[in-house]
Amino acid sequence: MDLDKLRKTAAEVVAREDVRYLLGWKKGTFGYRIAPGFVEDAESAAELIFSPLCTANLATYLTLTEKPPLPRGQEPDDRKVAVMVKGCDSRAVTQLLIEKGIERESVVIIGCPCPGVVDHELLAEKYPETEETAELKWSDKGFLLLQNGEETEIARDELLAEKCRLCRYPNPVVSDIMVGEPVETWEPDDDQGVAEVEGKNAEVRWEYWQEQFSNCLRCYSCRNVCPLCYCEDCILDRLNPTWIYRSVNFSENTAFNLARAFHLAGRCIECGECERVCPANIPLGKLNRKLAREVREKYGFEPGVDPEAEPFQASYKPDDPEEFIL
Amino acid sequence: MSAMLLNKEKWSDFVGMLAGKNLWAPRESDEGLRFVPVAEGEVPTLDYNNTRVPPKEAVFPQTETLFKFKVGGKDLEEPRPDQDAVLLGVRPCDARAMHIIDELFSWDEDDPYYLKRREKTVLVGLACNEPGLNCFCTSVGGGPVSTEGLDLLMVDLGEKYLLEEVTEKGSALIDEVKELLEEADDNSSKQKDKLADEAAGKIKRSIETEGIPAGLPGLWEDELWQRVSASCIGCGTCTFLCPTCHCFDIQDETEGFEARRCRMWDSCMFREYTLHTSGHNPRPTRSERTRNRINHKYSYYVDKFEVIACVGCGRCINLCPVNIDILDILGQVKEEI
Amino acid sequence: MSANYEPNIVAFLCNWCSYAGADLAGTSRVQYPPNIQVIRVMCTGRVNPLYVMNALQQGADGVLVSGCHPGDCHYMEGNYYARRRLGMLKDLLEFVGVDPRRFHMSWVSASEGHKWKEVVEKTVEDAKEAGPFEGFRRRQIDW
């Protein structure tokens, strides 16, 4: 990835009069961290990076912007928002377009073909983080780690994130401007995580999820980080009726996690953010990927690919499978 | 108060002798997620940096029943009384955090639920020899061997643990296991001081807090808050995992005719935290909420209790999904003052 | 599980077909197991998957959702949406280890009193085989 080109493109976009700010990745405050950057002028575009550390899905911020009431006489700022997207992130943008969560005219999409990002936890485990900000680059063999003046070659398989092993869309499916050449797609792995759970019998599965959900802290980071969880009035926040009690115990946690997974059926674009941010390390990706696979195989629908498609849960086909119906 | 030595070979005996006491410790199999009751026959290893969920949940559980009642009835039923508990391997920062929130829970009105549990809990601390990447306890008044809030401090001296009594509760615990212990000599206390100095030297991150509490009110309308909170997604990770965060929400929950009033952790980073019934929200955006989080820790709490409500454990920095770094924010605050 | 265990089943029936079908079964004096607690909804499309989850949380051992046959929906397409959503919910529940026999969906029209009997018999039999559902219950949690 040619960073100069990326920054130049970003600077040009931000300089446009109809663009309010640009969402990109910048170096974090220490170690391998990456912080989402809100770039408002061409100068700050020089801080932007794109590396195997850039796991964050910035499409989240398209719907996260708050719109508090404006003082009388003040006009809302309706300028466009530019957003840098990887393959998976672009699917989130497309899915938002499908659901009419955003308008096509309101965004400038800068596509960044992505050869696959790393699993941060694995990286920090194998190559301990230090207080210095480190750099990671794509290389021929996989990744090149630049830390405290030392260079380390790391094989791609060693650190590649699970979602990237399963990725089928490394190149952005929608974009206004592409930075760099499209990458060669790879054969996705079989989803062993889901298959492993499916292989167990029902009781063992229930126990497995019981253990996982019991750890849930209900911090809602999975919901908030998800680019497709953007309801202004979330059912989990409602008090009347209280569908899911606020108390944290296995029953409510299960209801919460199932409701969250269910609301993403046919919408989840498998960017893996929920699983990455979970402080209790609950394998949320497995729930989402299981449903995504069912939707793909049974209903032939793939979210976030065709902006003209009808949303999965708000459409039907007369010949949808119904072998489960009595 | 006296100090004793415990040979590590006798560690399992030590745990065994305390087994009847509702012992809590981090469990290795959950990657040190939180303090959990030690199962019978289990010997916890204290080989961890720090738990993700602070041990505050042993005295201030995430969900707690205040009383039970029947729908339509008038009688209130008290919740089950709590057992005594011994927390094994509490880091000095987390114990100090409990010491700090004790002030709040015993302020104008006593909080009987918290205080009763606090009284029944013995905190056995474990000094830090290897501080974590984002620890900054020394900047906010703590340290790797700080004993504030602890009842007993253990220091890992390699082959032995040095046990230092801090409170009466701690001495009582020592008395029960006296047969396993030997008297400490001068050498071990020297060794402890040396380890403490080394540990303090390994803490890489710091902030000079002087001037921050006084300066924060002046930055109320500063555009800094907009800048530092732009990437915030509004989740509760930073507050739920903070050892000094103590906000709660109270709800009535019913199930058929059974009902209870309970309280559960709440987070000022949630939109509904300040949402009024009318629909008005005095903290409408994440920038006001972030401002409140910083101000509460570094300004309001200082005004009221003369102590910063942050112990520098680094959890909010480590686990923030979008790298919002409290030290970075404080650094920017200092620049603006 | 005791031999005379009787499961609790919550059934969400659409106003126009299945509710009328169950009514017909009653007026025709068709006998079927009494384990069903009926909740009438205007359309199966109205059945939020959270209803099903909430029923299980509040002590149901099984849940049945029944509506009009495809093409017969009073609102033209409500049951088509329900079929998609609840089909996904069934997959999800099964994936987390809830016995698939606990959740059923059926099409019963207003004239199918006998089919209603069969559906209820099947649902009750399945729920009996699956046994009491304690795993997910709010009340079992020690308050």
Side-chain angles (χ1 to χ4, degrees), chain B residues 236-256:
Chain B
T237 308
C238 48
T239 44
F240 280 3
L241 300 182
C242 173
T244 63
C245 272
H246 49 257
C247 286
F248 56 82
D249 185 18
I250 294 181
Q251 301 261 329
D252 282 0
E253 297 190 341
T254 56
E255 180 55 57

Side-chain angles (χ1 to χ4, degrees), chain C residues 78-118:
Chain C
N79 53 356
Y80 285 122
Y81 293 122
R83 184 170 65 182
R84 268 201 170 177
R85 287 179 200 155
L86 298 169
M88 294 312 301
L89 178 72
K90 198 171 167 70
D91 286 333
L92 179 63
L93 288 176
E94 199 176 333
F95 185 65
V96 295
V98 176
D99 197 313
R101 290 173 296 189
R102 295 195 191 281
F103 175 61
H104 284 303
M105 195 172 169
S106 65
W107 305 139
V108 173
S109 78
S111 60
E112 292 177 321
H114 279 279
K115 184 172 180 195
W116 171 245
K117 167 191 156 83
E118 283 162 24

Side-chain angles (χ1 to χ4, degrees), chain A residues 11-307:
Chain A
E12 280 167 17
V13 171
V14 176
R16 272 164 57 176
E17 245 171 45
D18 60 340
V19 173
R20 194 171 162 200
Y21 54 77
L22 177 139
L23 294 160
W25 299 276
K26 10 177 243 199
K27 268 187 186 178
T29 53
F30 68 95
Y32 305 130
R33 298 305 157 103
I34 293 294
F38 288 67
V39 177
E40 291 185 6
D41 50 54
E43 261 170 49
S44 346
E47 292 171 11
L48 293 174
I49 59 161
F50 182 54
S51 79
L53 296 171
C54 297
T55 41
N57 184 346
L58 303 173
T60 304
Y61 294 106
L62 295 178
T63 50
L64 206 63
T65 325
E66 287 139 326
K67 295 192 185 78
L70 289 170
R72 196 166 294 158
Q74 199 172 318
E75 288 292 315
D77 191 341
D78 285 335
R79 284 175 297 164
K80 294 178 192 226
V81 172
V83 58
M84 289 170 53
V85 293
K86 307 188 287 292
C88 45
D89 310 347
S90 75
R91 286 184 66 196
V93 177
T94 314
Q95 184 60 25
L96 285 170
L97 294 173
I98 291 178
E99 295 171 5
K100 304 196 168 36
I102 54 169
E103 281 161 28
R104 187 65 185 87
E105 301 75 51
S106 68
V107 283
V108 179
I109 305 165
I110 304 173
C112 305
C114 164
V117 295
V118 293
D119 182 330
H120 272 258
E121 214 156 286
L122 217 57
L123 174 66
E125 199 177 290
K126 292 192 173 169
Y127 304 90
E129 240 174 335
T130 63
E131 67 283 2
E132 298 287 327
T133 49
E135 258 185 75
L136 193 68
K137 289 180 176 166
W138 282 290
S139 69
D140 295 338
K141 282 185 189 154
F143 306 112
L144 185 68
L145 176 65
L146 303 147
Q147 194 181 28
N148 304 331
E150 281 177 43
E151 287 191 12
T152 324
E153 277 281 354
I154 305 168
R156 185 168 185 267
D157 279 350
E158 198 182 327
L159 289 182
L160 195 64
E162 191 182 24
K163 64 160 179 173
C164 300
R165 293 178 201 278
L166 308 169
C167 176
R168 282 166 296 117
Y169 297 90
N171 292 306
V173 295
V174 57
S175 66
D176 294 312
I177 305 161
M178 278 280 243
V179 183
E181 293 302 311
V183 295
E184 210 177 304
T185 53
W186 53 92
E187 191 59 36
D189 282 2
D190 292 331
D191 195 339
Q192 283 160 353
V194 172
E196 195 191 334
V197 178
E198 281 176 325
K200 297 170 182 160
N201 70 32
E203 265 165 48
V204 182
R205 283 205 300 272
W206 182 252
E207 256 165 49
Y208 170 76
W209 287 111
Q210 179 158 352
E211 197 181 306
Q212 301 296 338
F213 294 153
S214 303
N215 286 338
C216 176
L217 291 161
R218 303 275 287 279
C219 66
Y220 301 123
S221 55
C222 50
R223 175 191 71 180
N224 292 11
V225 81
C226 178
L228 294 163
C229 272
Y230 58 95
C231 290
E232 270 180 30
D233 191 6
C234 175
I235 197 147
L236 305 168
D237 289 342
R238 302 219 86 176
L239 285 173
N240 194 9
T242 317
W243 283 108
I244 291 162
Y245 284 163
R246 294 295 199 286
S247 53
V248 178
N249 56 43
F250 167 65
S251 177
E252 306 303 331
N253 289 0
T254 306
F256 158 61
N257 278 287
L258 294 186
R260 192 201 63 83
F262 183 80
H263 282 180
L264 288 168
R267 306 176 57 229
C268 172
I269 45 82
E270 299 168 61
C271 66
E273 283 288 273
C274 47
E275 193 165 330
R276 176 181 73 88
V277 303
C278 179
N281 284 342
I282 302 173
L284 298 164
K286 285 184 191 169
L287 290 172
N288 294 337
R289 292 200 306 268
K290 158 79 181 171
L291 288 181
R293 201 191 66 198
E294 297 293 335
V295 170
R296 193 163 66 236
E297 288 175 2
K298 284 190 184 160
Y299 300 88
F301 181 83
E302 192 146 35
V305 177
D306 172 15

Side-chain angles (χ1 to χ4, degrees), chain B residues 122-159:
Chain B
V122 183
L123 301 185
V124 180
L126 178 65
C128 296
N129 292 348
E130 289 294 332
L133 185 59
N134 288 309
C135 288
F136 59 101
C137 56
T138 42
S139 302
V140 284
V145 289
S146 151
T147 53
E148 266 179 292
L150 284 173
D151 297 303
L152 189 66
L153 176 73
M154 301 205 301
V155 188
D156 189 342
L157 299 180
E159 282 171 13

Side-chain angles (χ1 to χ4, degrees), chain C residues 14 104 122:
Chain C
C14 95
H104 284 303
K122 163 86 174 145

Side-chain angles (χ1 to χ4, degrees), chain C residues 61-75:
Chain C
D61 302 302
V63 177
L64 171 68
V65 178
S66 188
C68 310
H69 285 272
D72 289 356
C73 179
H74 186 78
Y75 308 100

